[in-house]
Amino acid sequence: MQIIWMFLTYLAMLAFHVVAEWLPLNGMTANEISKEYQASLLPADFGFIIWGVICLALFISMVSVASRKSLVSSKWIPRFIVSNFLSIFFTISWHYNWIFLSVILLLIWIVTVQRLYQEIDRRNKIARFPLSLYFGGLSVSFFIVLDIYLAKIHAELGSVLPILLLIIGFLLAFTIRYREQNFAYPLSVIWLYLSIFFGQLSPHPNTAYTAIFFAFLLILTYFFRRPKVH
């Protein structure tokens, strides 16, 4: 029964996102709300394509988990269901411009997905790869949403905080890349950093060049031998 609810909540989440953009919910699309505050980490429009890729990959992950339940903990499916509801709640809060609530919900969402990633056996690579993309995409999205919230409240932090957030995002991706021997997580970070570069090259060049620099460093990690896990 849990497997059925996993697929149903996933489909409900996808349907809600489509309807929220198509209506759009509260009269504004998610992208229009993002652009309203002129934040320093706002990516170019193509950056959001990654969420279509992640959603498709998650379906593959669910099929893999459903067929190999022995490779996940008993709490995995309930947590995945919770993550689907968190995605819906986040979308509602975002479309209604409740940015601070969106930050809190996104933080809870990231923790939930991080637990999903940890509680799946390394042998189930088909399921781990989409979750890694998911985890990476949410991590960078948290920094973007936090930056948008600070822009909304007119926090006078200049370019210092956006660059600091980019550094933290890079260090997190670099650590997971090598400590977990994870190829997928940095891919989301690289894609979003590239989209930040193109989105901010004109209004915030310092932030843009910082993003492209760290994206390049992450790309380089794919050309070096991974350390052995003992």
Side-chain angles (χ1 to χ4, degrees), residues 12 15 26 37 49-51 58-59 67 76 84 86 101 105 122 136 148 164 168 175 192 227:
N26 197 35
Y37 301 107
I49 294 174
I50 194 171
W51 289 108
L58 281 178
F59 183 79
S67 61
W76 195 93
N84 289 330
L86 285 169
L101 178 59
L105 287 171
R122 288 178 179 272
I148 289 172
L164 178 60
I168 294 172
T175 301
L192 288 169

Side-chain angles (χ1 to χ4, degrees), residues 82-99:
V82 169
S83 73
N84 289 330
F85 281 110
L86 285 169
S87 178
I88 292 173
F89 296 152
F90 171 81
T91 301
I92 294 172
S93 68
W94 188 256
H95 276 267
Y96 279 90
N97 232 332
W98 302 330
I99 307 299

Side-chain angles (χ1 to χ4, degrees), residues 11-216:
L11 292 174
M13 178 267 292
L14 287 184
F16 188 86
H17 279 290
V18 171
V19 171
E21 288 295 302
W22 178 71
L23 284 175
L25 187 63
N26 197 35
M28 294 185 71
T29 66
N31 200 18
E32 287 171 345
I33 296 170
S34 299
K35 292 179 178 179
E36 186 176 351
Y37 301 107
Q38 301 298 313
S40 301
L41 292 181
L42 190 64
D45 290 346
F46 75 84
F48 298 99
I49 294 174
I50 194 171
W51 289 108
V53 175
I54 289 173
C55 286
L56 177 61
L58 281 178
F59 183 79
I60 298 172
S61 182
M62 289 189 300
V63 172
S64 178
V65 167
S67 61
R68 305 176 72 185
K69 285 185 65 178
S70 61
L71 296 182
V72 298
S73 74
S74 60
K75 297 179 180 179
W76 195 93
I77 292 178
R79 283 201 174 102
F80 189 88
I81 293 171
V82 169
S83 73
N84 289 330
F85 281 110
L86 285 169
S87 178
I88 292 173
F89 296 152
F90 171 81
T91 301
I92 294 172
S93 68
W94 188 256
H95 276 267
Y96 279 90
N97 232 332
W98 302 330
I99 307 299
F100 180 71
L101 178 59
S102 298
V103 172
I104 301 302
L105 287 171
L106 187 50
L107 183 59
I108 298 171
W109 190 6
I110 290 172
V111 172
T112 304
V113 172
Q114 189 260 346
R115 295 296 298 273
L116 288 172
Y117 168 76
Q118 286 184 330
E119 292 177 357
I120 196 162
D121 195 286
R122 288 178 179 272
R123 291 172 291 174
N124 196 343
K125 294 181 180 179
I126 295 176
R128 279 176 65 87
F129 188 90
L131 284 172
S132 299
L133 290 176
Y134 196 14
F135 186 21
L138 284 178
S139 298
V140 179
S141 295
F142 175 75
F143 297 141
I144 294 171
V145 171
L146 178 60
D147 188 52
I148 289 172
Y149 171 70
L150 292 174
K152 179 181 180 180
I153 63 174
H154 305 292
E156 297 296 335
L157 298 171
S159 61
V160 175
L161 183 62
I163 289 176
L164 178 60
L165 292 175
L166 289 173
I167 293 172
I168 294 172
F170 164 75
L171 292 176
L172 184 60
F174 184 86
T175 301
I176 292 176
R177 166 70 181 87
Y178 280 114
R179 189 184 66 186
E180 302 287 333
Q181 297 191 3
N182 189 317
F183 281 95
Y185 181 100
L187 292 177
S188 292
V189 178
I190 290 168
W191 179 265
L192 288 169
Y193 273 30
L194 287 174
S195 67
I196 290 172
F197 168 74
F198 286 104
Q200 298 301 321
L201 186 57
S202 177
H204 303 101
N206 290 339
T207 301
Y209 286 117
T210 301
I212 196 67
F213 172 72
F214 285 127
F216 177 72

